[in-house]
Amino acid sequence: MEVENTENKMVDKSVFVSTYGCQMNVNDSERMYSLLEMSNYKPVNTPDQASLIIINSCSVREKPVHKVHSEVGRYRKLKEKNPNLKIGVGGCVAQQEKKKLLKDVPLLDFVFGTDAIDELPKIISDLEQGDNKVVSTRFEHQKPYQIETLVRNPGVATFVNITKGCDNFCTFCVVPFTRGRERSRKLSELIFDINTLVKRGVKEVTLLGQNVNSYKSECGVNFSGLLKAVSEDTDIERIRYTTSHPKDFDQELADVMQKYREKICDYVHLPVQSGNSEVLQRMNRGYTREEFIDKAIMIQESIPGVSFSSDIIVGFPGETEKQFEDTLSLMDVVKFESVYAFKYSPRPFTKAAKFEEQLTEAEKSQRLHRLFEHHDQIASQLCKKYENQTLHVLVEEFNSKSRRLMGRSTQNKVVHFEGSEDLVGQTVPVKIIQAFAQTLRGELQFQ
Ligand code: SAH
Ligand code: SF4
Ligand code: F3S
């Protein structure tokens, strides 16, 4: 009898979250699941099992509103079968469109912004009480940023938010409008959270923020100070962070990374966006090509063996062929092991969307293709240095079919090798046998 009751309850309240966008959103979706679990919603893996569907949207590029429309459209049949099914949109499209989204997508029951995640249980209970069509997209500009890291099954490696929002206003970017003003979490809370995660078996944390190196705690500690504190005052084995802004990356940060190298990974994601100073200026990035190169050299000299990855935009308004070629040539100077490259996409509220000389889709696609071709050559040469090296790999997963383990080296390289399941969570030496541009194949060395 009891089992039946529980099952009925589970069928009644079950939630599916569909996640788009960056790690920030991945982490926010985890938070939504955790908060709703406390309100007796069982997480499910497919939308057809759910009584509540949330689309955690991203609006950084390409037709994001359209994506929300088409995803909600796919749920029409489910809603016809079950009129009690509730569908909501959160994340950056919700913050951008606000109540307009409810009007444009009639199947939706609620919209909540990026600062309203903690209100989710209340929003849902209002809906359950019969409130139809809820919107909650206010920004908390005044309140301090105080949250607790909520992850259901953190596993070996997990994310910890350290800042929210962004004040940089790069001219192409919608994030300052969808995530609001920058706020930092308290240092003491972060240390407490990370220690709690360690007790739950977490070995690696990635400190998350749109611009982590402008972190400033209430007591004046900067990002280097935070890294030092996490290294010294917690037992976490590995620390990563993303994303650091090139203009704020200083010698102090490189020195802290080198000093605490045992814990802080040898990997920097440093988004350059363009290799041409004039384009960088129109993007409002706050550095020139030369300054970026000097910074990369400074980091390399301070942390020998460090690996880099980057984000690049091709076809920014007015970008000439010559300026695009500067981006290609920059990749020959600063050797990024991975590159996340995108076609420029005009975003609402942003300055660049109003710039003249927008490029055609065909021009942007052609440049993107050329950029990837150029980078493929660089990456396939660069990875060869790992062959025959023994890397320390933190094991994250065991694949029972192939009986292979997957883990990452401190340089953020994905490594596959044979081994037993009980190694998950351990850091083991692996000799690299074959290196591909994005992954490495290795052999476990016996300690
Ligand atoms: N805060 C991070 C970036 C967040 S957005 C930083 O400053 O690096 C992630 C990436 O999306 C950006 O680095 C940029 O390369 C890309 N991006 C942002 N807006 C874009 C746009 N309008 N068109 C194309 N790519 C964009
Ligand atoms: Fe966007 Fe620039 Fe802020 Fe990154 S730093 S989130 S690219 S405005
Ligand atoms: Fe997208 Fe918002 Fe992240 S626009 S990239 S989900 S901050």
Side-chain angles (χ1 to χ4, degrees):
M1 272 309 172
E2 243 179 65
V3 174
E4 233 176 65
N5 277 342
T6 330
E7 277 184 351
N8 282 341
K9 201 169 161 194
M10 289 200 286
V11 173
D12 277 341
K13 289 187 168 196
S14 47
V15 53
F16 174 76
V17 183
S18 163
T19 309
Y20 295 83
C22 61
Q23 286 105 332
M24 217 68 74
N25 260 16
V26 173
N27 211 24
D28 286 348
S29 291
E30 245 331 289
R31 188 170 190 81
M32 294 176 199
Y33 274 126
S34 303
L35 288 166
L36 289 168
E37 214 166 28
M38 293 179 218
S39 302
N40 296 322
Y41 274 83
K42 177 184 175 290
V44 289
N45 294 326
T46 55
D48 55 323
Q49 297 170 283
S51 64
L52 170 64
I53 298 176
I54 297 173
I55 301 169
N56 192 11
S57 61
C58 167
S59 62
V60 83
R61 289 175 289 272
E62 293 153 323
K63 306 192 180 85
V65 184
H66 178 82
K67 278 189 200 158
V68 170
H69 277 261
S70 61
E71 179 157 354
V72 177
R74 289 203 298 275
Y75 301 141
R76 180 177 301 277
K77 284 229 163 66
L78 293 177
K79 191 119 178 164
E80 280 166 5
K81 258 202 286 181
N82 173 13
N84 289 326
L85 171 67
K86 302 285 182 227
I87 306 176
V89 178
C92 291
V93 175
Q95 189 65 51
Q96 177 188 305
E97 298 293 304
K98 303 189 171 66
K99 56 176 181 256
K100 186 170 179 297
L101 206 55
L102 279 185
K103 214 172 81 202
D104 295 349
V105 192
L107 279 183
L108 280 183
D109 297 284
F110 64 106
V111 167
F112 64 108
T114 50
D115 253 4
I117 294 170
D118 288 2
E119 287 172 42
L120 201 49
K122 161 98 172 61
I123 295 173
I124 304 301
S125 100
D126 287 351
L127 277 173
E128 286 169 352
Q129 311 291 315
D131 249 23
N132 51 3
K133 311 286 174 185
V134 182
V135 187
S136 184
T137 49
R138 261 179 320 114
F139 266 134
E140 292 290 0
H141 278 317
Q142 305 308 328
K143 271 210 215 152
Y145 180 29
Q146 254 175 320
I147 56 160
E148 181 194 342
T149 302
L150 290 179
V151 271
R152 290 166 301 153
N153 304 305
V156 174
T158 195
F159 297 112
V160 173
N161 279 93
I162 64 161
T163 63
K164 67 171 180 179
C166 182
D167 292 349
N168 281 325
F169 291 94
C170 301
T171 56
F172 52 80
C173 185
V174 77
V175 172
F177 305 96
T178 59
R179 295 275 167 170
R181 296 292 57 75
E182 197 172 275
R183 287 278 179 280
S184 297
R185 287 180 66 195
K186 272 187 167 178
L187 179 67
S188 53
E189 274 177 20
L190 286 169
I191 299 294
F192 178 84
D193 263 15
I194 295 171
N195 275 325
T196 310
L197 290 170
V198 170
K199 282 189 204 132
R200 293 175 70 191
V202 172
K203 308 287 180 192
E204 174 184 302
V205 286
T206 301
L207 308 178
L208 266 191
Q210 289 301 344
N211 180 11
V212 286
N213 39 13
S214 56
Y215 174 85
K216 191 122 222 126
S217 80
E218 77 297 349
C219 49
V221 170
N222 66 8
F223 184 59
S224 307
L226 169 66
L227 281 182
K228 184 170 176 284
V230 177
S231 306
E232 286 183 354
D233 304 339
T234 76
D235 288 326
I236 195 79
E237 283 177 25
R238 276 187 175 184
I239 307 162
R240 297 184 189 277
Y241 61 83
T242 197
T243 298
S244 52
H245 196 299
K247 77 176 162 58
D248 300 319
F249 205 113
D250 57 12
Q251 183 72 55
E252 186 192 8
L253 177 51
D255 290 345
V256 167
M257 286 183 72
Q258 170 64 14
K259 182 164 177 210
Y260 295 95
R261 215 169 171 180
E262 290 279 298
K263 288 192 163 191
I264 305 172
C265 289
D266 290 344
Y267 168 66
V268 180
H269 180 61
L270 204 62
V272 64
Q273 313 298 357
S274 164
N276 176 273
S277 297
E278 202 190 306
V279 175
L280 287 168
Q281 194 189 2
R282 285 190 297 118
M283 287 177 162
N284 190 32
R285 288 292 289 178
Y287 52 86
T288 61
R289 173 191 174 96
E290 291 69 32
E291 283 164 351
F292 182 88
I293 293 173
D294 285 351
K295 219 149 248 196
I297 293 171
M298 177 277 280
I299 299 170
Q300 243 158 0
E301 283 176 353
S302 308
I303 316 164
V306 69
S307 80
F308 288 112
S309 63
S310 198
D311 291 351
I312 292 175
I313 295 179
V314 300
F316 187 73
E319 183 191 67
T320 63
E321 168 64 22
K322 164 79 188 56
Q323 289 171 334
F324 168 67
E325 284 170 11
D326 283 346
T327 301
L328 297 183
S329 74
L330 180 116
M331 297 198 297
D332 297 329
V333 184
V334 181
K335 302 231 160 56
F336 305 121
E337 299 204 3
S338 321
V339 160
Y340 305 88
F342 314 99
K343 292 187 271 186
Y344 168 73
S345 150
R347 310 298 337 125
F349 319 119
T350 61
K351 281 196 178 155
K354 296 186 206 86
F355 288 176
E356 284 168 15
E357 300 179 72
Q358 300 281 335
L359 275 75
T360 63
E361 266 315 291
E363 282 169 316
K364 290 191 254 185
S365 299
Q366 193 243 29
R367 285 186 188 171
L368 188 67
H369 180 73
R370 284 168 62 199
L371 186 129
F372 279 134
E373 251 180 4
H374 193 81
H375 182 256
D376 282 351
Q377 284 178 5
I378 296 171
S380 51
Q381 299 231 315
L382 211 54
C383 66
K384 292 292 167 212
K385 69 171 182 240
Y386 292 114
E387 284 183 355
N388 295 318
Q389 267 194 45
T390 296
L391 303 179
H392 293 279
V393 177
L394 170 60
V395 185
E396 292 179 31
E397 274 171 32
F398 173 73
N399 182 320
S400 51
K401 266 199 205 135
S402 65
R403 308 210 58 78
R404 288 206 301 178
L405 295 164
M406 185 286 283
R408 274 176 304 147
S409 74
T410 165
Q411 301 88 348
N412 208 31
K413 283 283 175 193
V414 171
V415 185
H416 295 283
F417 59 103
E418 275 176 28
S420 65
E421 192 171 3
D422 56 0
L423 291 180
V424 172
Q426 290 190 38
T427 300
V428 292
V430 179
K431 185 170 173 194
I432 302 309
I433 306 298
Q434 205 175 7
F436 306 98
Q438 293 314 322
T439 58
L440 308 175
R441 195 171 62 80
E443 246 170 33
L444 180 65
Q445 302 295 289
F446 291 95
Q447 290 140 299

